[in-house]
Amino acid sequence: MNRLPEFTFRLVFLAVFTFAAVAAFGQVPKSTPAGPPPDPFAPQSAPPLPAGMTGSNTSDPRFKLTPGLYNAGETSMGLKHLSFLKKPDAFQLGTNDPNDPKVDATLKGTLGIPDPSKMGGSTKMVLSQLAFANSDLAFQGKHLFQGNFYGVSIYDISDPAKAKLVTTMVCPGGQGDVSVYKNLMFMSVEMDNGRVDCGTQFFPVSATGTSAEKDRFRGVRIFDISDITHPKQVAAIQTCRGSHTHTLVLDPNDPNNVYIYVSETSHLRSNEELAGCSGDIKNPDPNSPFFKIDVIKVPVKAPAEAKIVTSPRIFMDPNNGGIAGISSAATHGTGKPTPTDQCHDITAYPEIGLAAGACEGNGILLDIRDPANPKRIDAVNDPNYSYWHSATFSNDGKKVVFTDEWGGGLGARCRPNDPNVWGADSIFTINNNKLQFQSYYKMPAAQGDTENCVAHNGSLIPIPGRDIMVQAWYQGGVSVMDFTDPKNVKEIAYFDRGPIDPKSLVLGGSWSAYWYNGHIYSSEIARGLDVFELTPSQFLTQNEIDAAKSVHVAGLNVQDQQRISWPKNRAAGLAYIDQLERTHALTADQLTELRKAVKANKLDQNELAKMKTILETAASAANTADSRRMHTLEEIIANPAM
């Protein structure tokens, strides 16, 4: 697999293109010709579709929306746009003109690029905007935490339609993904401009590259947020390759500690800067900083004592002990299989003892019953996948949705000629701890040449009786899909805006779209924060929406997946009946009788017996999904929690 292009989002530190190397290492190859190089981010039309492939739908109303930063055309189905908040001033580049002095100032002063004049205009804009890009979301109580490559914004969402900024904390270092537990906030840092003290002064880049810096920070920061308006850093755990993402893992048997799985995708720092960081990826030795994840143990009452306790070799070959035990497929029929040496993201589901890792060239399944020592129990690859990015379990833990970040987040990958099985989701079932592929899903609407678009972060929507997920697609917008039938996945709602710029591929769109206590929140990379609510449609009833809204949680870190439990209330009962009507599992008369029963405050024994007979008789002949709905509906009617 040609791994490097899928790290486009990590240009500053992985040197995908010639002049991104300047940003990371301060070096330009001797063969570089004079003058600006070809611009890797200039819009390019998609090549012809490969034989037998199908592209995205150009008849969809999302295809030709008018462009604009804050005045772009919008369209939606099944989603109401409640509110939008612009990024705080601290996280604004403040210009879309590559010749604006602010751009070079950001490239030099924030990212340490010594000579931005050697870059094309689009490259300048993408990299300078990356310095202030919004990233992932976390939730606790009435607060939303929005990561940013330059720090964190905290919002009060007690009234989602009138969400308001509480505070902004400047703390550069990228990627800025956050998670929250009790009075602690965790933040991923991987770029070379991160400082231990959260300072904004960049480290100088010399002609020979980045030097060892005692004040550089790359790893996981821990903040005390007891005073939500003034987060206070209490620990900073250094790692050899920083933290691109992290996963907060709660051990059901250990309330005194939390664990952080660190996914590292960036370049290796030197031994001089952090001891133990030497290693050769081509000839890996047993102590290589590659081919592993780091596990940080955090004492909840003493977070300053947090430290790396294990570095599991989750890619190891179980037969010979070699640390490079799994590899990618031949991506898109042209790449070559390569050893997988890192995870981009890991989603833990502690209650079922499993985690799903989206790991470069593979999707993997981990046994995490001992959270400090995760063990790989299965791995899959796919020639249609370019870079395994993230994962989401179904609530029952019997399915997992993996995403493919083809193009690294900066590519236009939803154009009419882009195959709809590339840059898509893949849905797997889990049987006896083995992953079995079922189907692909890709946001169906075609997008333009200047819209970065690929599968990204999403979460479950707690609609009982169905597996429904909301998901971000960068400038492809927000899409809601139903994967209850893993072989027949359908889009049931969406929201989209037109491109930020009709002439240049500008970094933007929805990074994460998550459901939290009745609403959907989208972290918009370039613009700010969006808030949505579901609306009834042919695919979703008001009863189903009401049932989802009846589920409330104290907080949400999407990569630490918690089991959803529904109250056995009227909304849930009516939602199940609507689903049984949609699948034609019951007659019209039976549906009428059941609705009356659910709405009644109390039934006598004869009425209860009648409802039980209807449901048990029908369940015996129904498919598995409908049978489960009927049995749960029977429980609700017998013991309603109104």
Side-chain angles (χ1 to χ4, degrees):
M1 181 177 90
N2 186 4
R3 177 168 55 222
L4 290 179
E6 308 327 288
F7 286 84
T8 314
F9 232 146
R10 278 78 72 190
L11 276 176
V12 178
F13 22 87
L14 286 183
V16 177
F17 299 103
T18 301
F19 288 93
V22 176
F25 307 112
Q27 297 173 324
V28 178
K30 295 179 181 180
S31 60
T32 300
D39 193 339
F41 297 112
Q44 299 178 0
S45 297
L49 274 168
M53 295 283 189
T54 301
S56 298
N57 180 14
T58 57
S59 298
D60 193 285
R62 289 169 275 184
F63 179 44
K64 291 190 176 180
L65 293 171
T66 55
L69 182 59
Y70 298 119
N71 60 346
E74 298 180 355
T75 187
S76 64
M77 185 272 290
L79 285 178
K80 180 181 179 181
H81 193 199
L82 287 184
S83 66
F84 165 72
L85 289 84
K86 289 184 180 180
K87 282 198 296 187
D89 290 343
F91 299 153
Q92 295 276 8
L93 176 61
T95 181
N96 285 321
D97 179 4
N99 297 314
D100 190 312
K102 293 180 182 177
V103 175
D104 281 5
T106 297
L107 294 171
K108 292 179 180 179
T110 301
L111 300 180
I113 297 174
D115 187 3
S117 66
K118 296 183 180 296
M119 294 179 173
S122 294
T123 303
K124 277 189 176 186
M125 292 309 299
V126 168
L127 293 183
S128 58
Q129 288 162 338
L130 180 64
F132 302 102
N134 282 332
S135 58
D136 210 6
L137 301 173
F139 305 84
Q140 186 179 76
K142 67 177 185 179
H143 291 116
L144 177 151
F145 301 78
Q146 184 177 38
N148 184 285
F149 277 61
Y150 208 62
V152 178
S153 298
I154 303 175
Y155 293 89
D156 182 333
I157 55 171
S158 51
D159 182 349
K162 298 179 181 178
K164 56 186 178 181
L165 183 69
V166 174
T167 191
T168 296
M169 182 189 74
V170 172
C171 188
Q175 164 166 311
D177 283 8
V178 289
S179 59
V180 184
Y181 182 71
K182 294 187 176 181
N183 67 312
L184 301 178
M185 179 176 73
F186 306 88
M187 179 184 186
S188 284
V189 181
E190 73 169 338
M191 289 170 61
D192 282 328
N193 64 335
R195 301 180 65 94
V196 172
D197 62 359
C198 283
T200 58
Q201 180 184 4
F202 74 96
F203 295 104
V205 180
S206 68
T208 57
T210 56
S211 58
E213 300 283 350
K214 65 180 179 61
D215 294 324
R216 192 189 314 277
F217 179 75
R218 297 172 64 204
V220 176
R221 301 187 192 272
I222 306 177
F223 297 88
D224 186 323
I225 53 170
S226 300
D227 179 353
I228 199 73
T229 62
H230 294 91
K232 178 183 178 182
Q233 184 169 287
V234 294
I237 297 87
Q238 300 269 18
T239 67
C240 286
R241 300 167 66 198
S243 171
H244 188 65
T245 67
H246 70 267
T247 303
L248 175 70
V249 182
L250 304 181
D251 183 351
N253 302 311
D254 182 6
N256 298 317
N257 299 284
V258 297
Y259 295 86
I260 303 293
Y261 291 177
V262 186
S263 295
E264 305 170 43
T265 66
S266 188
H267 65 280
L268 184 66
R269 61 208 299 184
S270 66
N271 252 330
E272 290 75 22
E273 186 168 283
L274 186 64
C277 291
S278 63
D280 185 350
I281 191 171
K282 294 181 180 179
N283 298 291
D285 61 66
N287 298 315
S288 172
F290 300 92
F291 300 97
K292 68 176 179 63
I293 61 171
D294 286 327
V295 178
I296 300 170
K297 184 177 182 179
V298 184
V300 176
K301 294 183 179 179
E305 298 175 10
K307 62 181 179 181
I308 296 173
V309 291
T310 59
S311 295
R313 295 292 184 187
I314 60 173
F315 308 112
M316 183 177 289
D317 186 326
N319 297 315
N320 59 28
I323 64 175
I326 57 175
S327 64
S328 68
T331 303
H332 299 174
T334 58
K336 295 181 179 179
T338 57
T340 292
D341 63 69
Q342 62 195 18
C343 284
H344 179 279
D345 216 320
I346 298 170
T347 294
Y349 198 164
E351 190 169 339
I352 64 172
L354 294 176
C359 301
E360 194 174 45
N362 298 87
I364 69 174
L365 200 61
L366 298 169
D367 180 338
I368 60 166
R369 288 174 294 178
D370 177 358
N373 296 284
K375 295 179 172 60
R376 190 183 83 249
I377 53 179
D378 197 24
V380 292
N381 58 25
D382 188 336
N384 285 317
Y385 259 44
S386 181
Y387 187 79
W388 296 69
H389 177 273
S390 53
T392 302
F393 286 97
S394 60
N395 190 54
D396 64 5
K398 295 180 179 180
K399 303 170 194 166
V400 62
V401 178
F402 286 105
T403 68
D404 173 26
E405 197 181 30
W406 173 38
L410 287 180
R413 294 294 187 263
C414 299
R415 298 161 296 183
N417 284 349
D418 289 322
N420 60 10
V421 295
W422 296 359
D425 297 331
S426 59
I427 294 84
F428 286 79
T429 52
I430 302 173
N431 295 296
N432 297 319
N433 286 335
K434 296 295 181 182
L435 294 163
Q436 297 178 352
F437 174 77
Q438 301 298 319
S439 68
Y440 297 105
Y441 168 79
K442 188 171 184 178
M443 186 275 299
Q447 303 285 295
D449 292 338
T450 64
E451 293 177 280
N452 55 311
C453 175
V454 73
H456 216 235
N457 295 340
S459 75
L460 297 182
I461 298 177
I463 294 172
R466 300 172 72 180
D467 292 316
I468 293 181
M469 177 177 171
V470 60
Q471 186 175 1
W473 290 82
Y474 291 116
Q475 287 197 71
V478 174
S479 178
V480 179
M481 69 166 183
D482 182 338
F483 66 105
T484 308
D485 177 353
K487 290 184 178 295
N488 187 27
V489 183
K490 296 179 179 179
E491 183 177 58
I492 63 171
Y494 63 75
F495 170 85
D496 192 18
R497 289 187 176 96
I500 293 174
D501 190 312
K503 296 181 180 179
S504 299
L505 203 162
V506 175
L507 175 62
S510 181
W511 176 290
S512 302
Y514 298 148
W515 171 278
Y516 179 66
N517 288 348
H519 293 83
I520 292 169
Y521 299 86
S522 169
S523 180
E524 219 291 353
I525 298 167
R527 297 175 172 107
L529 178 71
D530 289 298
V531 185
F532 305 95
E533 68 176 358
L534 289 168
T535 58
S537 69
Q538 62 177 312
F539 306 110
L540 197 62
T541 68
Q542 186 63 56
N543 289 323
E544 290 175 301
I545 296 170
D546 291 343
K549 287 186 173 183
S550 71
V551 176
H552 282 261
V553 295
L556 176 68
N557 299 296
V558 169
Q559 289 77 24
D560 175 41
Q561 197 164 327
Q562 305 298 311
R563 188 182 295 276
I564 301 166
S565 296
W566 288 270
K568 292 182 171 61
N569 57 16
R570 180 177 296 167
L574 294 174
Y576 286 121
I577 295 171
D578 289 347
Q579 292 166 12
L580 294 169
E581 181 176 25
R582 187 182 293 119
T583 61
H584 307 290
L586 296 169
T587 67
D589 288 343
Q590 289 172 328
L591 293 165
T592 299
E593 291 289 331
L594 288 167
R595 286 192 174 102
K596 288 180 180 178
V598 169
K599 292 177 181 179
N601 290 326
K602 188 175 182 181
L603 299 179
D604 61 32
Q605 291 302 312
N606 290 333
E607 291 170 321
L608 283 173
K610 181 179 179 181
M611 296 304 105
K612 181 177 181 179
T613 299
I614 290 174
L615 290 168
E616 291 189 352
T617 301
S620 64
N623 60 41
T624 301
D626 282 338
S627 179
R628 288 174 182 166
R629 291 170 181 141
M630 293 174 191
H631 287 304
T632 307
L633 182 56
E634 183 181 345
E635 294 175 14
I636 293 172
I637 293 172
N639 299 288
M642 300 302 180

